[in-house]
Amino acid sequence: MISACELTYPQDYRGIVSDRKGKVPSILRFCNLTRNTSISIIWINFQGKGVVYYHSIQPGKWVVVQSFAGHLWIAINSVTKERLLIKNKSIWVCEPWNKNGTTAQDKRPVLLCVTLPVYTLRELCIKYVRKKTNADVKDLHIPRELIEEIKEPFFKYIMPFQR
């Protein structure tokens, strides 16, 4: 496994990971099912920090990772740092090999499809305005409610360390 860098999060993941020190091994196969997005796979360690394991997995490609049951994994767009989905979840909890009754001789990697999230029209519009505007958001002639949404980072899909 490649540990390219360690990323710290202003959001506290420690409460989530404190009791997830798994002892049951598992092999994971992360498949990039996006059409044109290079992805990074990140493990959330026991201190609540993200450790990049694989950077720039190209569309249609896959990597195999050894992990343990209970470990937390996330996927992001390697360029924009937007959160992607692993098996339709923004944070994926590693499962043991034998969850479905497989034997020691039949330990195939757990297949994890990484896909793009589906945004609402409102979310897409806010992302577009954030990307295109160079002016101070408060100077835009739009409702105050929208100004507040545009000023706040889009935490649901953007990595917390991008603040």
Side-chain angles (χ1 to χ4, degrees), residues 80-155:
T80 66
K81 308 303 184 222
E82 287 183 82
R83 183 81 61 88
L84 303 174
L85 302 177
I86 301 172
K87 287 183 88 170
N88 293 321
K89 296 177 183 173
S90 59
I91 299 177
W92 189 77
V93 181
C94 183
E95 301 168 348
W97 265 325
N98 60 0
K99 183 177 181 184
N100 297 322
T102 57
T103 64
Q105 292 79 22
D106 189 33
K107 290 187 177 179
R108 289 182 233 138
V110 176
L111 180 61
L112 301 172
C113 300
V114 178
T115 57
L116 298 170
V118 177
Y119 296 105
T120 65
L121 181 57
R122 181 183 187 100
E123 292 166 340
L124 286 172
C125 291
I126 289 171
K127 283 177 56 174
Y128 181 82
V129 170
R130 277 193 195 120
K131 183 177 178 181
K132 293 296 182 182
T133 187
N134 290 331
D136 191 356
V137 178
K138 68 179 183 238
D139 295 334
L140 298 175
H141 296 287
I142 59 175
R144 185 177 304 156
E145 177 185 309
L146 287 177
I147 288 174
E148 294 304 316
E149 283 189 56
I150 292 168
K151 285 178 11 183
E152 286 298 312
F154 196 46
F155 288 119

Coordinates of all heavy atoms in Angstrom, one line a residue, residues 80-155:
T80 N -10.6 17.6 -8.0 CA -11.5 18.6 -7.3 C -11.7 18.3 -5.9 O -12.1 19.1 -5.1 CB -12.9 18.6 -8.0 OG1 -13.5 17.3 -7.7 CG2 -12.8 18.9 -9.5
K81 N -11.3 17.1 -5.4 CA -11.4 16.7 -4.0 C -12.9 16.5 -3.6 O -13.2 16.3 -2.4 CB -10.8 17.6 -3.0 CG -9.3 17.9 -3.3 CD -8.5 16.7 -3.4 CE -7.0 17.0 -3.6 NZ -6.4 16.2 -4.6
E82 N -13.8 16.4 -4.5 CA -15.2 16.1 -4.2 C -15.4 14.7 -3.8 O -14.7 13.8 -4.3 CB -16.1 16.4 -5.4 CG -16.3 17.8 -5.8 CD -17.2 18.0 -6.9 OE1 -18.5 17.9 -6.7 OE2 -16.8 18.1 -8.1
R83 N -16.2 14.5 -2.8 CA -16.5 13.1 -2.3 C -17.2 12.3 -3.3 O -18.1 12.8 -3.9 CB -17.3 13.2 -1.0 CG -17.6 11.9 -0.3 CD -16.4 11.4 0.5 NE -16.0 12.3 1.6 CZ -16.6 12.2 2.8 NH1 -17.6 11.4 3.1 NH2 -16.2 13.1 3.8
L84 N -16.8 11.1 -3.5 CA -17.5 10.1 -4.4 C -18.1 9.1 -3.5 O -18.0 9.0 -2.3 CB -16.5 9.5 -5.3 CG -15.7 10.5 -6.2 CD1 -14.6 9.8 -7.0 CD2 -16.6 11.3 -7.1
L85 N -18.8 8.1 -4.1 CA -19.5 7.1 -3.4 C -18.9 5.7 -3.5 O -18.4 5.4 -4.6 CB -21.0 7.0 -3.8 CG -21.8 8.3 -3.7 CD1 -23.2 8.0 -4.3 CD2 -21.9 8.7 -2.3
I86 N -18.8 5.0 -2.4 CA -18.3 3.6 -2.5 C -19.5 2.7 -2.1 O -20.0 2.8 -1.0 CB -17.1 3.4 -1.5 CG1 -16.0 4.3 -1.7 CG2 -16.7 1.9 -1.5 CD1 -14.9 4.3 -0.6
K87 N -19.9 1.9 -3.1 CA -21.1 1.1 -2.9 C -22.3 2.0 -2.4 O -23.0 1.7 -1.5 CB -20.9 0.0 -1.9 CG -20.1 -1.2 -2.5 CD -19.9 -2.3 -1.5 CE -21.0 -3.3 -1.7 NZ -20.8 -4.5 -0.9
N88 N -22.4 3.1 -3.1 CA -23.5 4.1 -2.8 C -23.5 4.7 -1.4 O -24.5 5.2 -0.9 CB -24.9 3.5 -3.1 CG -25.0 3.2 -4.6 OD1 -24.6 4.0 -5.4 ND2 -25.6 2.1 -4.9
K89 N -22.3 4.7 -0.8 CA -22.2 5.3 0.6 C -21.0 6.3 0.5 O -20.0 6.0 -0.1 CB -21.9 4.3 1.6 CG -23.1 3.3 1.8 CD -22.8 2.2 2.8 CE -23.9 1.3 2.9 NZ -23.7 0.1 3.7
S90 N -21.1 7.4 1.3 CA -20.0 8.4 1.3 C -18.9 7.9 2.2 O -17.7 8.3 2.0 CB -20.5 9.8 1.7 OG -21.1 9.7 3.0
I91 N -19.2 7.1 3.2 CA -18.2 6.5 4.1 C -18.5 5.0 4.1 O -19.6 4.6 4.4 CB -18.1 7.0 5.5 CG1 -17.8 8.5 5.5 CG2 -17.1 6.3 6.3 CD1 -17.9 9.2 6.9
W92 N -17.5 4.2 3.7 CA -17.8 2.7 3.6 C -17.0 2.1 4.7 O -15.8 2.3 5.0 CB -17.3 2.2 2.2 CG -17.7 0.8 2.1 CD1 -19.0 0.3 1.7 CD2 -16.9 -0.4 2.3 NE1 -19.0 -1.0 1.7 CE2 -17.7 -1.5 2.0 CE3 -15.6 -0.6 2.6 CZ2 -17.3 -2.8 2.1 CZ3 -15.1 -1.9 2.7 CH2 -16.0 -3.0 2.5
V93 N -17.7 1.2 5.4 CA -17.2 0.4 6.5 C -16.8 -0.9 6.0 O -17.6 -1.7 5.5 CB -18.2 0.3 7.7 CG1 -17.6 -0.5 8.8 CG2 -18.7 1.6 8.2
C94 N -15.5 -1.3 6.2 CA -15.0 -2.6 5.7 C -15.7 -3.8 6.3 O -15.9 -3.8 7.5 CB -13.5 -2.7 5.9 SG -12.7 -4.1 5.3
E95 N -16.1 -4.7 5.5 CA -16.7 -5.9 5.9 C -15.7 -7.1 5.9 O -14.8 -7.1 5.1 CB -17.9 -6.3 5.0 CG -18.9 -5.2 4.8 CD -19.9 -5.4 3.7 OE1 -19.6 -6.3 2.8 OE2 -20.9 -4.7 3.6
P96 N -16.0 -8.1 6.8 CA -15.1 -9.3 6.8 C -15.3 -10.1 5.5 O -16.4 -10.1 4.9 CB -15.4 -10.0 8.0 CG -16.8 -9.6 8.3 CD -17.0 -8.2 7.8
W97 N -14.3 -10.9 5.2 CA -14.5 -11.9 4.0 C -15.7 -12.8 4.2 O -16.4 -13.1 3.3 CB -13.3 -12.7 3.9 CG -12.2 -12.2 3.0 CD1 -12.4 -11.6 1.8 CD2 -10.8 -12.4 3.1 NE1 -11.2 -11.3 1.2 CE2 -10.2 -11.8 2.0 CE3 -10.0 -12.9 4.1 CZ2 -8.9 -11.8 1.8 CZ3 -8.7 -12.9 3.9 CH2 -8.1 -12.3 2.8
N98 N -15.8 -13.4 5.4 CA -16.7 -14.5 5.6 C -18.1 -14.0 5.9 O -18.9 -14.8 6.4 CB -16.2 -15.4 6.7 CG -16.1 -14.7 8.0 OD1 -16.3 -13.5 8.1 ND2 -15.6 -15.4 9.0
K99 N -18.5 -12.8 5.6 CA -19.8 -12.3 5.9 C -20.9 -13.1 5.2 O -21.9 -13.3 5.7 CB -19.9 -10.8 5.5 CG -21.2 -10.2 5.9 CD -21.3 -8.7 5.5 CE -22.6 -8.1 5.9 NZ -22.8 -6.8 5.5
N100 N -20.6 -13.5 4.0 CA -21.5 -14.3 3.2 C -21.2 -15.8 3.3 O -21.6 -16.5 2.4 CB -21.6 -13.8 1.8 CG -22.0 -12.3 1.7 OD1 -22.9 -11.9 2.5 ND2 -21.4 -11.5 0.9
G101 N -20.5 -16.2 4.3 CA -20.3 -17.7 4.4 C -19.2 -18.2 3.5 O -19.1 -19.4 3.3
T102 N -18.3 -17.4 3.0 CA -17.2 -17.9 2.2 C -16.2 -18.6 3.1 O -16.0 -18.3 4.2 CB -16.5 -16.7 1.4 OG1 -16.0 -15.8 2.4 CG2 -17.4 -16.1 0.5
T103 N -15.6 -19.6 2.5 CA -14.6 -20.4 3.2 C -13.2 -19.7 3.0 O -13.0 -18.8 2.2 CB -14.5 -21.8 2.7 OG1 -14.1 -21.8 1.3 CG2 -15.9 -22.4 2.8
A104 N -12.2 -20.2 3.7 CA -10.8 -19.8 3.6 C -10.3 -20.0 2.2 O -9.5 -19.2 1.7 CB -10.0 -20.5 4.6
Q105 N -10.8 -21.0 1.5 CA -10.3 -21.3 0.2 C -11.0 -20.4 -0.9 O -10.5 -20.3 -2.0 CB -10.6 -22.7 -0.2 CG -9.8 -23.8 0.5 CD -10.3 -24.0 1.9 OE1 -11.5 -23.8 2.2 NE2 -9.5 -24.5 2.8
D106 N -12.0 -19.7 -0.5 CA -12.8 -18.9 -1.4 C -12.8 -17.4 -1.0 O -13.8 -16.8 -1.1 CB -14.3 -19.4 -1.5 CG -15.1 -18.8 -2.6 OD1 -14.4 -18.5 -3.6 OD2 -16.3 -18.6 -2.4
K107 N -11.6 -16.9 -0.6 CA -11.5 -15.5 -0.2 C -11.2 -14.6 -1.4 O -10.1 -14.3 -1.6 CB -10.5 -15.4 0.9 CG -10.9 -16.1 2.2 CD -9.9 -15.8 3.3 CE -10.4 -16.4 4.6 NZ -9.5 -16.2 5.7
R108 N -12.3 -14.3 -2.1 CA -12.2 -13.3 -3.2 C -12.3 -11.9 -2.6 O -12.9 -11.7 -1.6 CB -13.3 -13.5 -4.2 CG -13.1 -14.8 -5.0 CD -14.2 -15.0 -6.0 NE -14.7 -16.3 -5.8 CZ -16.0 -16.6 -5.8 NH1 -16.9 -15.7 -6.0 NH2 -16.4 -17.8 -5.6
P109 N -11.6 -10.9 -3.3 CA -11.7 -9.5 -2.8 C -13.2 -9.1 -2.7 O -14.0 -9.5 -3.6 CB -10.9 -8.7 -3.8 CG -10.0 -9.7 -4.4 CD -10.8 -11.0 -4.4
V110 N -13.5 -8.2 -1.8 CA -14.8 -7.6 -1.7 C -14.8 -6.5 -2.8 O -14.0 -5.6 -2.8 CB -15.0 -7.0 -0.3 CG1 -16.4 -6.2 -0.3 CG2 -15.0 -8.0 0.8
L111 N -15.8 -6.6 -3.7 CA -15.9 -5.7 -4.8 C -16.5 -4.4 -4.4 O -17.7 -4.4 -3.9 CB -16.7 -6.3 -6.0 CG -16.8 -5.4 -7.2 CD1 -15.5 -5.1 -7.8 CD2 -17.7 -6.1 -8.2
L112 N -15.8 -3.3 -4.6 CA -16.3 -2.0 -4.2 C -16.3 -1.0 -5.4 O -15.3 -0.6 -5.9 CB -15.4 -1.4 -3.1 CG -15.3 -2.2 -1.8 CD1 -14.3 -1.6 -0.9 CD2 -16.7 -2.3 -1.1
C113 N -17.5 -0.7 -5.9 CA -17.7 0.2 -7.0 C -17.7 1.6 -6.6 O -18.5 2.0 -5.7 CB -18.9 -0.2 -7.8 SG -19.0 -1.9 -8.4
V114 N -16.8 2.4 -7.1 CA -16.7 3.8 -6.8 C -17.5 4.6 -7.9 O -17.1 4.4 -9.1 CB -15.3 4.3 -6.7 CG1 -15.3 5.8 -6.4 CG2 -14.6 3.6 -5.6
T115 N -18.5 5.4 -7.5 CA -19.3 6.1 -8.5 C -19.5 7.6 -8.1 O -19.1 7.9 -7.0 CB -20.7 5.4 -8.6 OG1 -21.3 5.4 -7.3 CG2 -20.6 4.0 -9.1
L116 N -20.0 8.3 -9.0 CA -20.3 9.7 -8.8 C -21.6 9.9 -8.0 O -22.5 9.1 -8.2 CB -20.4 10.5 -10.1 CG -19.2 10.5 -11.0 CD1 -19.5 11.1 -12.3 CD2 -18.1 11.3 -10.3
P117 N -21.7 10.9 -7.1 CA -23.0 11.1 -6.4 C -24.0 11.8 -7.4 O -23.6 12.4 -8.4 CB -22.6 12.1 -5.3 CG -21.4 12.7 -5.7 CD -20.6 11.8 -6.6
V118 N -25.2 11.7 -7.1 CA -26.3 12.4 -7.9 C -26.6 13.6 -7.1 O -27.0 13.6 -5.9 CB -27.5 11.5 -8.0 CG1 -28.6 12.2 -8.8 CG2 -27.1 10.2 -8.7
Y119 N -26.4 14.8 -7.8 CA -26.7 16.1 -7.1 C -28.1 16.6 -7.5 O -28.6 16.3 -8.6 CB -25.7 17.1 -7.6 CG -24.3 16.9 -7.3 CD1 -23.3 16.4 -8.2 CD2 -23.8 17.1 -6.0 CE1 -22.0 16.2 -7.8 CE2 -22.5 16.9 -5.6 CZ -21.6 16.4 -6.5 OH -20.3 16.2 -6.2
T120 N -28.7 17.3 -6.6 CA -29.9 18.0 -7.0 C -29.6 19.2 -7.8 O -28.5 19.6 -7.9 CB -30.7 18.5 -5.7 OG1 -29.9 19.5 -5.1 CG2 -30.9 17.4 -4.7
L121 N -30.6 19.7 -8.5 CA -30.4 20.9 -9.4 C -29.9 22.1 -8.5 O -29.0 22.8 -9.0 CB -31.7 21.3 -10.1 CG -31.7 22.4 -11.0 CD1 -30.6 22.2 -12.1 CD2 -33.0 22.7 -11.7
R122 N -30.4 22.2 -7.3 CA -30.0 23.3 -6.5 C -28.5 23.2 -6.1 O -27.8 24.1 -6.2 CB -30.8 23.3 -5.2 CG -30.5 24.4 -4.2 CD -31.3 24.3 -2.9 NE -31.1 25.4 -2.1 CZ -31.9 26.4 -2.0 NH1 -33.0 26.5 -2.7 NH2 -31.6 27.4 -1.1
E123 N -28.1 21.9 -5.8 CA -26.7 21.7 -5.5 C -25.8 22.0 -6.7 O -24.7 22.6 -6.5 CB -26.5 20.3 -5.0 CG -27.1 20.0 -3.7 CD -27.2 18.5 -3.3 OE1 -27.1 17.6 -4.3 OE2 -27.4 18.1 -2.2
L124 N -26.2 21.6 -7.8 CA -25.4 21.8 -9.1 C -25.3 23.3 -9.3 O -24.2 23.8 -9.7 CB -26.1 21.1 -10.3 CG -25.9 19.6 -10.3 CD1 -26.7 19.1 -11.5 CD2 -24.4 19.3 -10.5
C125 N -26.4 24.1 -9.1 CA -26.4 25.5 -9.3 C -25.4 26.2 -8.4 O -24.7 27.1 -8.7 CB -27.8 26.1 -9.2 SG -28.8 25.6 -10.6
I126 N -25.5 25.8 -7.1 CA -24.6 26.4 -6.1 C -23.1 26.1 -6.4 O -22.3 27.0 -6.4 CB -25.0 25.9 -4.7 CG1 -26.3 26.6 -4.3 CG2 -23.9 26.3 -3.7 CD1 -26.9 26.0 -3.0
K127 N -22.8 24.9 -6.8 CA -21.5 24.5 -7.2 C -21.0 25.4 -8.4 O -19.9 25.9 -8.4 CB -21.4 23.0 -7.6 CG -21.4 22.1 -6.4 CD -21.4 20.7 -6.9 CE -20.2 20.4 -7.8 NZ -20.1 19.0 -8.2
Y128 N -21.9 25.6 -9.4 CA -21.6 26.4 -10.6 C -21.3 27.8 -10.2 O -20.3 28.4 -10.6 CB -22.7 26.3 -11.6 CG -22.4 27.1 -12.8 CD1 -21.6 26.5 -13.8 CD2 -22.9 28.4 -13.0 CE1 -21.3 27.2 -15.0 CE2 -22.6 29.1 -14.2 CZ -21.8 28.5 -15.2 OH -21.5 29.2 -16.3
V129 N -22.1 28.4 -9.4 CA -21.9 29.8 -9.0 C -20.6 29.9 -8.2 O -19.8 30.9 -8.4 CB -23.1 30.3 -8.1 CG1 -22.8 31.7 -7.5 CG2 -24.3 30.4 -9.0
R130 N -20.3 29.0 -7.3 CA -19.0 29.0 -6.5 C -17.8 29.0 -7.5 O -16.8 29.7 -7.3 CB -18.9 27.8 -5.6 CG -19.6 28.0 -4.3 CD -19.2 26.9 -3.4 NE -20.1 26.8 -2.3 CZ -20.9 25.8 -2.0 NH1 -20.8 24.7 -2.7 NH2 -21.7 25.9 -1.0
K131 N -18.0 28.1 -8.5 CA -16.8 27.9 -9.4 C -16.6 29.2 -10.3 O -15.5 29.5 -10.6 CB -17.1 26.7 -10.2 CG -16.0 26.3 -11.2 CD -16.4 25.0 -11.9 CE -15.4 24.6 -12.9 NZ -15.7 23.4 -13.6
K132 N -17.7 29.8 -10.7 CA -17.6 30.8 -11.7 C -17.4 32.3 -11.2 O -17.0 33.1 -11.9 CB -18.9 30.8 -12.6 CG -19.0 29.6 -13.5 CD -17.8 29.5 -14.5 CE -17.9 28.4 -15.4 NZ -16.8 28.3 -16.3
T133 N -17.8 32.5 -10.0 CA -17.8 33.9 -9.5 C -16.4 34.2 -8.9 O -15.9 33.5 -8.1 CB -18.9 34.2 -8.5 OG1 -18.9 35.5 -8.2 CG2 -18.8 33.4 -7.2
N134 N -15.9 35.4 -9.3 CA -14.7 35.9 -8.7 C -15.0 37.0 -7.7 O -14.1 37.4 -7.0 CB -13.7 36.4 -9.8 CG -13.1 35.3 -10.6 OD1 -13.0 34.1 -10.1 ND2 -12.9 35.5 -11.9
A135 N -16.2 37.5 -7.8 CA -16.6 38.6 -6.9 C -16.9 38.1 -5.5 O -17.1 36.9 -5.3 CB -17.9 39.3 -7.5
D136 N -17.0 39.0 -4.6 CA -17.4 38.7 -3.3 C -18.9 38.2 -3.3 O -19.7 39.0 -3.9 CB -17.2 39.8 -2.3 CG -17.3 39.5 -0.9 OD1 -17.7 38.3 -0.6 OD2 -17.1 40.3 0.0
V137 N -19.2 37.1 -2.8 CA -20.5 36.6 -2.9 C -21.6 37.5 -2.3 O -22.7 37.6 -2.9 CB -20.6 35.2 -2.1 CG1 -22.0 34.6 -2.2 CG2 -19.6 34.2 -2.7
K138 N -21.3 38.3 -1.3 CA -22.3 39.2 -0.7 C -22.6 40.3 -1.6 O -23.6 41.0 -1.5 CB -21.8 39.7 0.7 CG -20.6 40.6 0.6 CD -20.2 41.1 2.0 CE -19.1 42.1 1.8 NZ -17.9 41.7 2.5
D139 N -21.8 40.6 -2.7 CA -22.1 41.6 -3.6 C -23.0 41.1 -4.8 O -23.4 41.9 -5.6 CB -20.8 42.2 -4.2 CG -20.0 42.9 -3.1 OD1 -20.6 43.4 -2.1 OD2 -18.7 43.0 -3.3
L140 N -23.3 39.9 -4.8 CA -24.2 39.3 -5.9 C -25.6 39.7 -5.6 O -26.0 39.8 -4.4 CB -24.0 37.8 -6.0 CG -22.7 37.3 -6.3 CD1 -22.7 35.7 -6.3 CD2 -22.2 37.7 -7.7
H141 N -26.4 40.0 -6.6 CA -27.8 40.3 -6.5 C -28.7 39.1 -6.5 O -29.4 38.8 -7.4 CB -28.2 41.3 -7.6 CG -27.5 42.6 -7.6 ND1 -27.7 43.5 -6.6 CD2 -26.5 43.1 -8.3 CE1 -26.9 44.6 -6.8 NE2 -26.1 44.3 -7.8
I142 N -28.6 38.3 -5.4 CA -29.3 37.1 -5.2 C -29.8 37.1 -3.8 O -29.3 37.8 -2.9 CB -28.5 35.8 -5.5 CG1 -27.3 35.8 -4.6 CG2 -28.1 35.8 -7.0 CD1 -26.4 34.5 -4.8
P143 N -30.9 36.2 -3.5 CA -31.4 36.2 -2.1 C -30.3 35.8 -1.1 O -29.4 35.1 -1.3 CB -32.4 35.1 -2.2 CG -32.8 35.0 -3.6 CD -31.6 35.4 -4.4
R144 N -30.5 36.4 0.1 CA -29.6 36.2 1.2 C -29.4 34.7 1.6 O -28.3 34.3 1.9 CB -30.0 36.9 2.5 CG -29.0 36.9 3.6 CD -29.5 37.7 4.8 NE -29.7 39.1 4.4 CZ -30.5 39.9 5.1 NH1 -31.1 39.5 6.2 NH2 -30.7 41.1 4.7
E145 N -30.5 33.9 1.5 CA -30.4 32.5 1.8 C -29.4 31.8 0.9 O -28.6 31.0 1.3 CB -31.8 31.9 1.7 CG -31.8 30.4 1.9 CD -33.2 29.8 1.6 OE1 -34.2 30.3 2.2 OE2 -33.3 28.8 0.9
L146 N -29.4 32.2 -0.4 CA -28.5 31.6 -1.4 C -27.1 32.0 -1.1 O -26.1 31.3 -1.3 CB -28.9 31.9 -2.8 CG -30.2 31.2 -3.3 CD1 -30.5 31.6 -4.7 CD2 -29.9 29.7 -3.3
I147 N -26.9 33.3 -0.7 CA -25.6 33.8 -0.4 C -25.0 33.0 0.7 O -23.8 32.6 0.6 CB -25.6 35.3 -0.1 CG1 -25.9 36.1 -1.3 CG2 -24.3 35.8 0.6 CD1 -26.2 37.6 -1.1
E148 N -25.7 32.7 1.7 CA -25.2 31.9 2.9 C -24.8 30.5 2.4 O -23.8 30.0 2.8 CB -26.3 31.9 4.0 CG -26.5 33.2 4.6 CD -25.2 33.9 5.2 OE1 -24.4 33.2 5.8 OE2 -25.1 35.1 4.9
E149 N -25.7 29.9 1.6 CA -25.3 28.5 1.1 C -24.1 28.6 0.2 O -23.3 27.6 0.3 CB -26.5 28.0 0.3 CG -27.6 27.5 1.1 CD -28.6 26.7 0.3 OE1 -28.2 25.7 -0.4 OE2 -29.8 27.1 0.3
I150 N -23.9 29.6 -0.6 CA -22.7 29.6 -1.5 C -21.5 29.9 -0.6 O -20.4 29.3 -0.9 CB -22.9 30.8 -2.5 CG1 -24.0 30.4 -3.5 CG2 -21.6 31.0 -3.3 CD1 -24.5 31.5 -4.4
K151 N -21.6 30.7 0.4 CA -20.4 31.0 1.3 C -20.0 29.7 2.0 O -18.8 29.5 2.3 CB -20.7 32.1 2.2 CG -20.7 33.4 1.6 CD -21.1 34.6 2.4 CE -21.1 34.5 3.9 NZ -21.6 35.7 4.6
E152 N -20.9 28.9 2.5 CA -20.6 27.7 3.2 C -20.0 26.6 2.3 O -20.6 26.4 1.2 CB -21.8 27.2 4.0 CG -22.2 28.0 5.1 CD -21.1 28.0 6.2 OE1 -20.6 26.9 6.6 OE2 -20.8 29.1 6.7
P153 N -18.9 25.9 2.7 CA -18.4 24.8 1.9 C -19.5 23.7 1.8 O -20.3 23.5 2.7 CB -17.2 24.3 2.7 CG -16.8 25.5 3.5 CD -18.1 26.2 3.9
F154 N -19.4 23.0 0.7 CA -20.4 22.0 0.4 C -19.9 20.7 1.1 O -19.4 19.8 0.4 CB -20.5 21.8 -1.1 CG -21.7 21.1 -1.5 CD1 -23.0 21.4 -1.0 CD2 -21.6 20.1 -2.5 CE1 -24.1 20.7 -1.4 CE2 -22.7 19.5 -2.9 CZ -24.0 19.7 -2.4
F155 N -20.0 20.6 2.4 CA -19.4 19.5 3.2 C -20.0 18.1 2.8 O -19.3 17.1 3.0 CB -19.6 19.7 4.7 CG -18.7 20.8 5.2 CD1 -19.3 21.9 5.8 CD2 -17.4 20.7 5.1 CE1 -18.5 22.9 6.3 CE2 -16.6 21.7 5.6 CZ -17.1 22.8 6.2

